[in-house]
Each structure stands twice: as structure tokens, then as C-alpha cells.
Amino acid sequence: MANVFDVLKERGFIAQCTDEEGVRELLGKESVTFYTGFDPTADSLHVGHFLGLMAMSHMQRAGHRPVCLVGGGTGTVGDPSGRTDMRRMLTDEDIEHNCDCFKKQIARFIDFSEGKALMVNNGDWLRKLNYIELLREVGAHFTVNRMLSAEAYKTRWEKGLTFLEFNYMVMQAYDFLELSHRCGCKLQMGGDDQWSNIIAGVELIRRKEAKPAYGLTFTLLTKSDGQKMGKTAGGALWLDAEKTSPYDFYQYWRNIDDADVEKCLALLTFLPMEEVRRLGALRDAAINEAKTVLAYEVTKLVHGEAEAKKAKEGAEAMFGRGAASAELPTFTLTAEEMGAKLLDILAKNGVFSSKSEGRRLISQGGVTLNDARVTDADYRLQEEDFSDGTALVKKGKKKHYRLVKA
């Protein structure tokens, strides 16, 4: 069997690693216990988490043991990484509820049968810590100079980094130390925005325990233009079917930019790389075959085969002989209008009598784009909104319109 490190590298997961040769050797010679953390900032995981779950699943398939950590403790502080403002403070009830939701969703992707994986909550140990004891036992191994140079804190300078958030790195590092004691965890994995926090844990174990520990980050899910992937007219692309329907989820992947197809097939499906490369090499109209495969495979993993089939059939009906027929009122968008506000386009073409009417309808949930409810009156049209150059708008229950790229 191929070394899973090589598998992750070939598929494009690996962004940074504390010791590439050391990690590869370790993964090749023994079953390694590793962990990834999920802070309960919402009541559902989103597509960014899904990429991490795919990496964990590859590791588990290769015989390694995942520890899925939900942040019942770190969630009380909030990770400042990549943020310009402070996260909303959650109540203990919110955190507990969100952790429970995460556990149910993670269990769909990771096998928790006897001995194969662990689910832990860092609230079990972080909430019991004595502050003075933590300062003496752990704080002595951190230098403020080093912490302040971390990328995780730089984006918070403008509005001010609170002492509450400053402690986040120490808490995450302590998690790694605790899991090293509890279950022999040797490797922490996470998104590349967690690099500073992961290094802190690796260095804490080495200094305090004088034993090796490793860190590995996977690439963040971004579009070819560098923007984060997973934003839709209705907000984030959630894994919970109640928050993002399987149909909307399918449509998102069916409509992504041509340049992102091969990367998403490699990261978000288990298709062999030969097939990924074949599909990724398709051009022009033929690339739609690859997008259909991507949408079906990702939806099947997240929502199950039955929902994936339903979504595929629904999309084909709508964009084939159904609502996207030539009989619908059709508006052609110029190249300059791509990126414009949907509200402006619809008002300009008489769908709304005025922009204020449009804003009112959107606030009431009366406008959908490709069957996804539009919640932001300032939403701007994106390339991925157009499947085969077409997007469908519904006003109320009965009025349908078609937008076509020039």
C-alpha cells in the first residue's frame, strides 16, 4: 500500500509540515494516532471542515487512528486566526449544542467502531485547569515575542487583540500535550491557517516532554482567484441538509469555475487520480461532464447516494426540459454585468418595480437563485451561479426568470 503521506501530497492536501521526511517515515512504519480540532462556532460543519474530514478519512483508510476533537473549551475563547474582528462570544448552552451537532456529522465520515477512532471534547480538561498552575507549567514554555510574530495574531492588530484571544494558542498547544498523554497522539493536522497554533503544540511537547511531535497543515479550500470557496447567495455551504439542501449543495459544485474542477475532484472525492486527471483535462463544453461527476460524488459523500441521485435528476430536469426552457423570460448579461448585484440586475429588467421592493422581497425570503434562497440584498453574481451559462431566478412561488451570460 502506498504511504498515505504520498497520497495526500499527490492529491494536493499538504500545505506545510514540521518535518516532511520524519512524518512520511512515521506514517510508513506504524499506525499513528493523530488529531484534528473542530471549534463549535456554529451548529453545523461547513465545506471547509469537509476538506479536513477527507484528509482524516484518507489517513484512517491507511490504518492510522484519528482523534476528532470538538472544542468545548477552546470554543469559549474563539480562534483569532485569519480574523480582523473578535468572534462572537458563545454561551455554554450554544457550545454544548454545537458540539453535539458536530459529533453527529463527523460520525458520517469517520469510522468510530472499536479502536478505529476517538471523539473527545477539550472542555473535559481545559475547563478544569487551575490558572496559576497552567501559567507555571505551560506558560513558562511560551515567549510573548514569538507568539506576537505568529500569523494567527497579525490580522487582529488593527482592532486590538484581546488577552482572551491571546490565550487561544496556549490552549490549543495544551490540547496536543494532553492528547499525547491520553492516547499517544503524535501528529496534529489542521487547515493552513492553524500553522502557528500547531507549531506551538509541537514545540510544547518537545520542550516539556523531550519527545518528538509533528504538525501538518492541509491547503485551504480556495478558488483559482484565491478567494475562499464555499460562499453562496444563502451564506456558507453547510453540511447540514437543513441549512444547505442537497440540491443547493449539488448545484454549487456543478457550477464551479472550470479552473477549479480538477483540484476539487482530487481533494473532495475518492476517485483515483488517473480519473481525476482525465476529467480535469476536459475542456470547453466537455468540462461539464467533470462538473457533474464532481457534484454527484461530493453530494453522495455528504448526503448519501439517494440524495445525490435526487439532486442530479432535479438539476437535469430544471436545466434541461424544465424551468430553464426557452419559454421563460430571459435576460442576457453583458461581461460588465457579471459581478453586479443581483438586485440591480433584476430591478433594471423590471422583475422588481423598484429596488426597495426587491429588498423587501429578499428580506422576506421571496427570491431564490438556482433554487437557493437569497438572504443578502447586496449579493453579487458569480461565475459559479451559471450552469452552462444559465442561472434561474424565482420571484415568489410562480414567477421564473432566466439569466444568460452573453
Side-chain angles (χ1 to χ4, degrees):
M1 181 185 283
N3 188 311
V4 68
F5 188 89
D6 297 330
V7 172
L8 293 175
K9 194 162 191 177
E10 182 184 21
R11 299 188 79 96
F13 281 94
I14 298 174
Q16 299 186 78
C17 187
T18 55
D19 177 1
E20 189 165 317
E21 282 307 310
V23 171
R24 188 180 184 282
E25 183 184 346
L26 183 70
L27 294 174
K29 73 181 182 184
E30 63 180 85
S31 175
V32 175
T33 296
F34 68 97
Y35 97 93
T36 299
F38 301 88
D39 268 352
T41 52
D43 58 2
S44 171
L45 298 168
H46 54 66
V47 73
H49 296 121
F50 178 55
L51 187 144
L53 290 165
M54 287 295 289
M56 296 178 81
S57 189
H58 279 291
M59 291 279 286
Q60 187 176 52
R61 288 177 175 213
H64 304 290
R65 183 172 68 146
V67 177
C68 300
L69 180 148
V70 291
T74 42
T76 63
V77 173
D79 184 4
S81 302
R83 296 185 64 89
T84 57
D85 58 348
M86 186 173 167
R87 291 185 186 274
R88 181 176 68 87
M89 294 284 281
L90 298 171
T91 66
D92 286 350
E93 291 74 22
D94 287 338
I95 291 168
E96 185 179 358
H97 171 70
N98 294 350
C99 282
D100 289 341
C101 293
F102 277 24
K103 287 175 183 176
K104 289 174 189 168
Q105 289 185 323
I106 291 169
R108 298 211 304 264
F109 306 100
I110 303 297
D111 180 2
F112 285 97
S113 56
E114 190 62 36
K116 290 192 174 178
L118 295 173
M119 180 86 75
V120 298
N121 184 328
N122 64 13
D124 292 347
W125 56 84
L126 290 178
R127 288 171 177 265
K128 297 173 184 173
L129 285 175
N130 176 293
Y131 187 57
I132 293 175
E133 185 181 339
L134 178 70
L135 288 176
R136 289 174 64 88
E137 295 298 315
V138 177
H141 296 282
F142 286 81
T143 67
V144 171
N145 300 37
R146 179 72 183 271
M147 291 174 74
L148 291 178
S149 69
E151 198 63 40
Y153 292 141
K154 285 182 180 175
T155 51
R156 290 288 289 112
W157 284 129
E158 193 174 323
K159 293 189 178 178
L161 176 70
T162 66
F163 186 65
L164 175 72
E165 297 167 288
F166 190 62
N167 279 268
Y168 187 89
M169 183 183 288
V170 178
M171 294 171 75
Q172 185 167 323
Y174 189 87
D175 284 344
F176 199 173
L177 179 66
E178 183 71 19
L179 292 175
S180 173
H181 293 160
R182 287 185 176 224
C183 51
C185 186
K186 294 182 179 180
L187 169 68
Q188 182 183 173
M189 295 170 57
D192 202 39
D193 56 347
Q194 294 298 307
W195 180 242
S196 300
N197 294 329
I198 289 174
I199 288 176
V202 169
E203 292 183 347
L204 177 62
I205 291 172
R206 288 177 178 170
R207 289 172 185 159
K208 193 164 175 57
E209 307 285 301
K211 63 182 184 183
Y214 305 91
L216 183 156
T217 61
F218 35 79
T219 185
L220 299 178
L221 197 57
T222 56
K223 303 176 192 175
S224 52
D225 62 6
Q227 292 182 33
K228 256 189 180 176
M229 194 174 280
K231 295 292 183 187
T232 71
L237 195 65
W238 302 102
L239 305 192
D240 183 343
E242 295 297 315
K243 293 171 80 74
T244 299
S245 72
Y247 178 83
D248 293 341
F249 192 82
Y250 177 96
Q251 281 297 102
Y252 180 87
W253 302 108
R254 177 61 184 80
N255 296 332
I256 66 167
D257 193 78
D258 294 2
D260 297 322
V261 173
E262 185 170 347
K263 175 177 72 176
C264 290
L265 282 165
L267 292 171
L268 304 178
T269 79
F270 290 109
L271 292 176
M273 281 305 291
E274 305 79 58
E275 179 66 358
V276 168
R277 283 188 277 266
R278 182 191 76 78
L279 290 167
L282 298 175
R283 292 292 176 266
D284 302 321
I287 195 73
N288 290 317
E289 176 199 343
K291 292 183 182 182
T292 300
V293 171
L294 170 67
Y296 182 81
E297 291 293 324
V298 180
T299 307
K300 182 173 73 173
L301 285 170
V302 173
H303 295 294
E305 191 161 14
E307 290 294 344
K309 283 181 179 175
K310 229 191 293 184
K312 184 172 184 284
E313 289 164 3
E316 287 171 350
M318 177 168 279
F319 288 97
R321 60 187 176 280
S325 69
E327 298 164 15
L328 286 181
T330 300
F331 311 120
T332 301
L333 273 64
T334 65
E336 292 74 33
E337 288 176 316
M338 285 304 298
K341 291 181 183 178
L342 175 64
L343 173 67
D344 293 347
I345 296 296
L346 296 180
K348 173 186 171 184
N349 286 284
V351 174
F352 304 132
S353 59
S354 65
K355 288 185 183 179
S356 59
E357 185 214 1
R359 287 185 182 277
R360 179 177 54 78
L361 271 173
I362 289 171
S363 70
Q364 293 171 349
V367 178
T368 65
L369 175 64
N370 297 327
D371 225 25
R373 185 173 284 114
V374 180
T375 58
D376 180 5
D378 294 321
Y379 180 75
R380 293 180 180 275
L381 290 165
Q382 303 175 47
E383 288 289 338
E384 56 260 40
D385 292 327
F386 292 81
S387 176
D388 298 331
T390 298
L392 295 175
V393 172
K394 189 162 72 170
K395 174 188 173 185
K397 292 184 178 178
K398 296 181 180 177
K399 296 186 177 179
H400 297 257
Y401 305 88
R402 184 169 64 156
L403 303 181
V404 178
K405 288 185 351 183

